[in-house]
């Protein structure tokens, strides 16, 4: 009985010159074996092709499309941070994508990555936020010669140029707040917050890349500095 239930009987090896004296089965009563499912090779190939499909068209402007998708992903992070600093409902709604229209496909080419990775926690910003971030990135690359030369008061210059661009364009054209005034302009305040947060992320990444290449003397002589309290 114990041999049938737990399958712990001592049995002879298949390669040994031994003959079983009884015909009792050595398989366990609780052992369950599922029948192997035969999978068609053509079905495997179809599943493999479906898993490796990408919704980004690889053309000549592929790099620009990928860069725009990354910028739009950062826009969602910026909007999420701005929500903690503002209390105006109209301004908050202008930062988010319009959800009134039912769309079952990607509205813009730069939102493909966010749509694919979104499981309910990512924030989808409006097109106006994307326009501001794109202009800030373009101005940053132009003023710094592709981040090779960092000038003084760089953030202030970019913010001023971005405000002039927003003022002369149709960005946030439907934004009308009740307590909006000439001295306390909500549109310009939103532009300032967006620029500061994006420049903080972008310049921090640029500084991290620059410091990762060169090792400082303090890092090399860390033991000497610790022992001599310098």
């Amino acid at each position: 009985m114990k041999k049938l239930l737990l399958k712990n009987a001592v049995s002879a090896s298949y390669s040994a010159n031994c003959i079983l004296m009884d015909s009792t089965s050595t398989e366990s009563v609780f052992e369950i074996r599922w029948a192997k499912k035969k999978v068609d090779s053509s079905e495997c190939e179809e599943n493999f092709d479906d898993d490796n499909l990408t919704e980004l068209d690889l053309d000549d402007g592929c790099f620009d499309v990928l860069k725009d998708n990354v910028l739009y992903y950062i826009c969602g992070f910026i909007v999420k941070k701005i929500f903690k600093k503002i209390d105006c409902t109209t301004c908050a709604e202008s930062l988010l994508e319009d959800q009134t229209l039912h769309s079952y496909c990607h509205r813009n080419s730069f939102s493909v990555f966010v749509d694919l990775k979104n499981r309910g926690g990512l924030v989808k910003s409006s097109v106006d936020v994307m326009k501001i971030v794109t202009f800030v990135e373009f101005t940053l690359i132009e003023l710094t010669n592709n981040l090779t030369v960092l000038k003084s008061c760089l953030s202030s210059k970019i913010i001023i140029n971005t405000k002039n661009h927003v003022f002369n364009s149709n960005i946030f054209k439907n934004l009308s707040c009740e307590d909006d005034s000439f001295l306390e302009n909500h549109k310009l305040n939103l532009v300032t917050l967006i620029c500061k947060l994006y420049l903080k992320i972008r310049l921090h990444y640029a500084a991290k890349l620059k410091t990762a290449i060169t090792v400082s003397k303090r890092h090399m002589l860390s033991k000497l500095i610790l022992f001599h309290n310098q």
Side-chain angles (χ1 to χ4, degrees):
M1 179 65 69
K2 186 177 181 181
K3 181 172 64 175
L4 290 174
L5 293 177
L6 303 178
K7 194 182 178 181
N8 60 352
V10 178
S11 59
S13 176
Y14 292 103
S15 60
N17 189 12
C18 300
I19 301 175
L20 294 177
M21 302 303 296
D22 56 351
S23 59
T24 306
S25 176
T26 58
E27 295 183 357
S28 174
V29 176
F30 300 110
E31 185 177 3
I32 300 175
R33 294 182 180 180
W34 301 98
K36 294 183 179 180
K37 183 180 179 181
K38 295 182 179 180
V39 181
D40 191 6
S41 60
S42 61
E43 184 179 355
C44 293
E45 293 178 357
E46 292 178 358
N47 294 334
F48 178 79
D49 295 337
D50 293 338
D51 294 337
N52 290 275
L53 288 178
T54 177
E55 299 190 31
L56 294 176
D57 296 331
L58 299 179
D59 51 3
D60 295 336
C62 178
F63 179 76
D64 295 334
V65 174
L66 294 177
K67 185 176 181 179
D68 291 342
N69 277 267
V70 174
L71 291 179
Y72 188 71
Y73 181 84
I74 298 175
C75 288
F77 176 79
I78 292 174
V79 171
K80 193 173 183 179
K81 290 292 184 180
I82 293 178
F83 280 167
K84 301 178 182 179
K85 300 181 179 181
I86 61 175
D87 54 358
C88 180
T89 307
T90 308
C91 293
E93 292 177 354
S94 64
L95 296 175
L96 294 175
E97 184 185 27
D98 188 10
Q99 300 293 338
T100 56
L101 299 176
H102 294 282
S103 179
Y104 300 97
C105 60
H106 306 296
R107 296 184 182 179
N108 302 292
S109 59
F110 52 78
S111 64
V112 176
F113 178 73
V114 175
D115 293 337
L116 293 177
K117 300 297 291 184
N118 190 14
R119 297 296 182 269
L122 297 180
V123 178
K124 301 181 69 174
S125 64
S126 61
V127 181
D128 294 332
V129 179
M130 179 62 185
K131 291 179 180 179
I132 295 174
V133 171
T134 305
F135 181 81
V136 173
E137 173 67 17
F138 176 78
T139 309
L140 177 64
I141 297 299
E142 186 178 6
L143 292 179
T144 59
N145 194 12
N146 200 8
L147 297 176
T148 56
V149 180
L150 297 179
K151 303 178 182 179
S152 60
C153 302
L154 179 63
S155 299
S156 301
K157 294 179 182 179
I158 295 176
I159 291 174
I160 293 174
N161 292 336
T162 307
K163 286 182 178 180
N164 294 331
H165 174 71
V166 172
F167 184 78
N168 297 324
S169 60
N170 294 325
I171 299 176
F172 294 135
K173 61 180 180 179
N174 297 325
L175 182 62
S176 58
C177 304
E178 296 180 356
D179 54 346
D180 197 1
S181 61
F182 179 77
L183 297 177
E184 190 67 22
N185 195 326
H186 288 196
K187 180 188 292 187
L188 297 181
N189 290 338
L190 287 179
V191 174
T192 304
L193 288 175
I194 293 171
C195 293
K196 286 183 177 180
L197 288 173
Y198 179 75
L199 289 174
K200 181 180 179 181
I201 298 171
R202 193 70 169 89
L203 294 177
H204 177 76
Y205 178 72
K208 189 175 181 180
L209 290 180
K210 187 175 181 180
T211 55
I213 299 174
T214 58
V215 181
S216 62
K217 293 183 179 180
R218 185 177 183 86
H219 182 71
M220 294 175 60
L221 305 175
S222 59
K223 292 183 179 180
L224 182 63
I225 293 171
L226 291 175
F227 289 139
H228 290 273
N229 297 322
Q230 296 181 0

